[in-house]
Structure formats: structure tokens, C-alpha cells
Amino acid sequence: MSHDFETRAIHDGQAFDPTTGAIIPPIYQTSTFVQDGIGGFRGGYEYGRSANPTRESLQTVLASLEGGSAAFSFSSGLAAEDSLLRAVLAPGSRVVMGNDVYGGTHRLVNRVWAAWGVTLETVDMSDLDAVRAAARPGETTVLWVETPSNPLMKITDIAGLAEIGHAAGALVVVDNTFASPYVQQPLALGADVVVHSTTKYLGGHSDTLGGALVVNDDELASKIGFIQFGVGAISAPMEAWLTIRGIKTLGVRMDRHSSNAQAIAEALVEHPAVETVFYPGLATHPGHELASRQMKRFGGMLSVALAGGPAAARTFAESTEVFQLAESLGGVESLIGYPSEMTHASVKGTELAVPENVIRLSVGIESIDDLLADVDGALGRLG
Ligand SMILES: Cc1ncc(COP(=O)(O)O)c(C=O)c1O
């Protein structure tokens, strides 16, 4: 019988330990596995880089939640991204990416892969005519989007993008980190690969780094599996286990992140110190209608442009008390960031540069009254 999302998040890949009955399967903190004679592997396990039961548990639940046939987990989001690119690119390949992807993703292609003869073009992915023009049939290997995008929360039509990408012969990749599989299901909308920084909502507690790839195609799965084994940027057992533990509560967390973010977005819109609020849950957001169709909730991320310019943005980011000033996102605790100097410092001076009056909020699951009071207090200090 197939179960609903919340049930799969708790049970898939997580059967109790048959030896002891432990409800939580053990962390297989081991580098190697004893053989019953040469080649006599128990359960197929040989060496920790090729397979580990804890990593397999994580991969099973990830594939289930994203509706894929296979998932692969890595030591970080960027390690996952790099492994995917190793599996599909060759010298001369061309990558087309959103012009507001995470700065590290842009840097990976623009600085690391460029040295191997890979070219990169960036485009506004929320404008499908621009994507169609950039996709250039036969010339593009990978079409890569983040939706909602980071940090300006633009929404891209994944089904429309998949159609354009496939007509051009490109692999369509969606970074689903901001939404999580509870909120958005890119494979069902036609994407070929889902990328995650599991460091964020999937782990959910800011206590571990990780990344994942999920696919629905056996040939692609076997190429990625080979790179995972052959290059070895795997997630370690403890990190995989922490991610599994986080995933169990993904649904309830995302509901709370979303309702807290909606309340903060609505309060910020009314504030005189605020120029623009970027949150797809607001009816005034240009992607609101599309997001209402494509996403189950609007998620916990929002950005704000301050009327007082860069100085006001910096003061605001340094004045909150519950929202902690830190990189990253997606944990239960609220974070505030100044993208142009933090997450997006690597794209300063490029067309991906983030306006200097923008701050980004990762809205946690604390009391909404405390969060609203914190934001209001910090804005009040702008004078
Ligand atoms: C949307 C997105 N994708 C990928 C990454 C990279 O993930 P990691 O930091 O786990 O390598 C990040 C990190 O912030 C991100 O925000």
C-alpha cells in the first residue's frame, strides 16, 4: 500500500532493526564490512564508499519523498552538484542557469568547470521566452533552475521549463532546496534531476551538512552512482543519520515555517522602513499565482529591500535578537543574512550581484509573536 508523504518521511528506508527490535535503525559507523570468504558480501556491503546501510536509508527516503527511482547522498550540496556535473558534462558542454542561483552554484560552473572547457550562460528563468532563446537546441547540455530563487524568490514554471529544456535536448535540473519535497515536486512536473542542499530544510536543525541528487531514469542513475563511488564525495554515516532524523518532521516544520513567514511578510509590507518584500505568498508577488499552483505552501524564506538603502539593511541585519546573523537557512531557528556580503559575496560585481539594500530571512518555527516583535524592534532601531 502506498502511504502519504508524512508517513513515508517517517518510515521509508527506516524499518526497525531486525536483530534487536530497535525502532531506530543503528548508525552503521563503519568503514568496511567483513566478507564470508573472498567476495562473500553480507547484504552486498563491501566498503563504506561504495555503500553503507545508513546512507542507503537516507537515499531510500529521499527517492520516495521526491517521487524518484533513485537518490544519492553527498557530503554537501555543492558536492552533489559537482557529482551531477561530472556525470553529464564533457569539455565543450554548455550550461544555462538562472541568473539568480545560489552564488556557490554559479561559482562552481563559472570558476571550476570553466577551466575544463564548459561554458555558462545565465538567464532570467522566470521569463520562459528568454529561456527558450537561451536554450539553443542541440547546444545546451544542462538547464539549471532554483525556484523559488535565492534570495529574490522568483518563481519559475517548472513544467514550462522542462518542455523547453527537453525540446532543446537538455537535462533539466531543479534545485529544490528552498521548497523541499513537501512543498514542491519537480520530478512530477517534468524535471530530470532534483538537487538538494540537505544542510537546509531536509536536515532542518543546522547541525549537519549534506547534499542529494534524485532522478527518475536508470541510465542517469547509473552514471551518478558511478561518480558517487568513483569520486567519493559521499555523506558519512552520522551525517546521513542526522538528516534522516530531520526528515521525519519535514512536513510539520514546513507548515510552521510557511505560516510564520507569511505572517512576517504581511507585517513587513505595512512597515514604512520597507521598500519591497519578496515572498511568493503575497498576492502582490509576480509569481504568486504560479506558486499557488506549483507549491503546496510558500515556504519559510523571504527577502526584504529596505527603503533606507545599504546602511539600513546592515543595521537591520545586525539588530535582531531572535533572528541570528548567520549564513545558511532552513533550520528550526530563525536566521538573518545580508546576501551581498554573505551568501552571494562570490557573485559581487557580476550580473548575479544582489542589491545592497536587501536582507534575507530564514524564518524558523519559534513563536510567531516573538519573531514579529523581534523584526519590529530591529526596524524601529533604524530611526
Ligand atoms: C539553494 C542552494 N543550493 C545549494 C547550496 C549548496 O549547499 P551546501 O552549502 O550544502 O554545499 C546552497 C547553500 O547555501 C543553497 O542555498
Side-chain angles (χ1 to χ4, degrees), residues 75-81 101-105 144 146 148 150 175-178 195-200 208-211 327-329 343-344 360:
S75 53
S76 70
L78 280 178
E81 295 182 12
V101 293
Y102 168 60
T105 300
W144 186 299
E146 273 176 38
N150 180 7
D175 183 329
N176 205 25
T177 299
F178 264 40
V195 171
H196 275 288
S197 168
T198 60
T199 313
K200 312 293 170 10
T208 183
L209 268 87
E327 303 263 357
S328 203
L329 61 112
T343 49
H344 288 63
R360 189 185 79 179

Side-chain angles (χ1 to χ4, degrees), residues 322-325 331-336 362-366 371:
V322 182
F323 281 87
Q324 307 281 302
L325 179 63
V332 290
E333 54 288 292
S334 293
L335 300 181
I336 189 165
S362 171
V363 180
I365 64 171
E366 301 96 333
L371 296 180

Side-chain angles (χ1 to χ4, degrees), residues 132-184:
R132 203 170 282 112
R136 306 215 301 253
E139 291 179 38
T140 305
T141 308
V142 169
L143 197 55
W144 186 299
V145 69
E146 273 176 38
T147 179
S149 70
N150 180 7
L152 296 183
M153 306 301 293
K154 283 191 189 165
I155 305 295
T156 295
D157 177 350
I158 296 175
L161 185 85
E163 213 178 296
I164 294 170
H166 293 152
L171 192 77
V172 175
V173 181
V174 176
D175 183 329
N176 205 25
T177 299
F178 264 40
S180 90
Y182 179 72
V183 162
Q184 179 170 275

